[in-house]
Amino acid sequence: MANDNRLPMPSRRRKKPGNLFLKALLLTALLCCAFFLARQFIIVFISDVQSLTSKEVGETVSLDGILLKDENVARAPAGGLLRFTNPDGRRLEVGAKAADIETAGEQGADGQTFAVYTSSAGIFCSHLDGLESTLTPANRDVLDLPGLEKIAGRSMAAGTRVEKGQPIFKIIDNLSPVFIYGSIAKTSLPAGYADKPVWLQAAWNNLTLRIKSSSLVDKGDRWEGYFLLSGYPEAIVHNRKVSLTVTTKQLKGLLVPSRAVVYRAGQPGIYMVVKKKAQWEPVDIKGELAGWVAIAGDELVEGARYVSNPVLVREGWFVE
């Protein structure tokens, strides 16, 4: 009888059911913690907590038009070469020397120099368009204004040869009223503006001024007419055609994004941050413009923290 020399196979140890349960329980706990932490991170990130601050927002519209101003044109007393004695933009008094006209002499003889003096005080300007005596504030009621494309100005350069009687420069009276003629969409202006006009903030080349309608005509969906300028930069009067950026509507105060307002039973409110938790507080809506809302309330102070995007926020949740 043959001997069986095979080694006995090791027996497999059975896993106890209790160990599997503990591992499953531990994995579930880890997943719950991960979910809670991820959820908290997402809520804090999306909530976008901000500080209440006083701001000002506005809606702007372009006003393209032509300027009407009092201008006194000087003419050459003789033919010859034009030499300016002052730069554009300088304010000159009455009787100030503004230019020289150098005439050529006969048969090589020296010519003469004729000085040109100002007949009125104002801003010296060498840009002429031939409409100086037409586009004036005094003519507002009788003007048949040309289209903007028909106005072409020219600048008189030093050394230019001019003829006797030719316009060579002008003096702009910047102390007299200056108007702009243009049109603005009705929807861009405050309600009732045509009947009770108010001063509107405007800007030209990043320089500020104010405008107020003088007379407007109903052109269907637009108001067309004259606007008076105030506090304007002197450089603007060198132009005939200008483009203004007009602030037609403004909203000031404690401003929050429209999305920050949460309604409860018809009452508007926002989530304030109290001890890093969201706490809903009722507010009064004072106005809304361009995606911002002006709010007021007993608990609202500048610098207080609030939730600007409460889409995932609930009362008492951590937001910071």
Side-chain angles (χ1 to χ4, degrees):
M1 182 174 179
N3 293 328
D4 189 356
N5 295 323
R6 289 178 300 177
L7 296 174
M9 296 294 293
S11 61
R12 293 184 179 179
R13 183 178 298 177
R14 294 183 178 180
K15 295 182 180 180
K16 296 181 179 181
N19 291 339
L20 293 175
F21 177 76
L22 289 176
K23 289 182 179 180
L25 185 62
L26 179 60
L27 179 60
T28 302
L30 290 174
L31 290 175
C32 289
C33 289
F35 173 78
F36 177 80
L37 291 175
R39 169 184 170 275
Q40 187 61 33
F41 174 80
I42 292 172
I43 291 174
V44 170
F45 178 76
I46 293 180
S47 296
D48 191 17
V49 174
Q50 301 287 336
S51 297
L52 284 175
T53 56
S54 294
K55 299 180 182 178
E56 178 179 336
V57 296
E59 286 187 356
T60 62
V61 63
S62 293
L63 173 60
D64 300 321
I66 59 176
L67 294 183
L68 283 75
K69 47 199 171 169
D70 287 323
E71 302 169 301
N72 192 348
V73 176
R75 299 179 180 273
L81 294 179
L82 174 65
R83 307 287 186 190
F84 290 128
T85 58
N86 290 280
D88 267 346
R90 177 172 293 176
R91 180 171 177 80
L92 302 178
E93 299 299 326
V94 178
K97 183 179 179 180
D100 285 323
I101 303 293
E102 300 176 358
T103 63
E106 296 181 1
Q107 298 179 353
D110 292 337
Q112 291 181 287
T113 298
F114 293 86
V116 186
Y117 299 94
T118 62
S119 60
S120 61
I123 304 298
F124 176 79
C125 181
S126 62
H127 303 91
L128 303 169
D129 56 24
L131 298 170
E132 286 80 12
S133 61
T134 302
L135 297 180
T136 66
N139 290 339
R140 294 197 313 278
D141 295 334
V142 296
L143 277 176
D144 181 15
L145 287 172
L148 294 179
E149 68 280 358
K150 297 180 181 179
I151 300 177
R154 69 184 189 281
S155 178
M156 299 298 295
T160 301
R161 181 168 293 278
V162 297
E163 300 297 329
K164 181 178 180 179
Q166 180 179 337
I168 53 176
F169 68 84
K170 61 187 177 185
I171 298 297
I172 306 170
D173 185 358
N174 64 317
L175 300 182
S176 295
V178 176
F179 292 84
I180 181 173
Y181 182 89
S183 67
I184 293 182
K186 289 181 178 179
T187 54
S188 298
L189 292 172
Y193 179 82
D195 298 323
K196 294 182 179 180
V198 296
W199 288 103
L200 300 175
Q201 295 293 325
W204 174 79
N205 287 356
N206 294 322
L207 301 173
T208 60
L209 65 150
R210 296 191 303 160
I211 67 169
K212 182 180 181 181
S213 68
S214 172
S215 59
L216 296 177
V217 177
D218 191 337
K219 294 291 184 178
D221 61 344
R222 304 183 69 83
W223 290 112
E224 183 176 302
Y226 297 98
F227 295 83
L228 176 64
L229 273 60
S230 176
Y232 55 85
E234 288 185 349
I236 197 174
V237 298
H238 289 282
N239 303 273
R240 181 67 70 187
K241 295 187 290 185
V242 298
S243 179
L244 305 181
T245 300
V246 182
T247 302
T248 55
K249 298 176 183 177
Q250 287 182 306
L251 186 65
K252 301 179 182 179
L254 291 175
L255 304 186
V256 299
S258 300
R259 67 184 184 184
V261 180
V262 177
Y263 285 84
R264 287 186 176 180
Q267 170 66 49
I270 63 173
Y271 280 111
M272 303 297 296
V273 180
V274 180
K275 296 181 179 180
K276 298 186 178 183
K277 293 183 178 181
Q279 180 176 306
W280 187 84
E281 293 288 347
V283 298
D284 294 325
I285 303 296
K286 298 299 183 181
E288 187 171 358
L289 182 65
W292 292 89
V293 177
I295 59 175
D298 295 337
E299 303 298 325
L300 302 184
V301 294
E302 193 163 359
R305 306 280 284 171
Y306 76 99
V307 177
S308 69
N309 185 19
V311 63
L312 297 179
V313 174
R314 298 295 181 269
E315 185 78 19
W317 284 12
F318 282 99
V319 290
E320 279 191 321

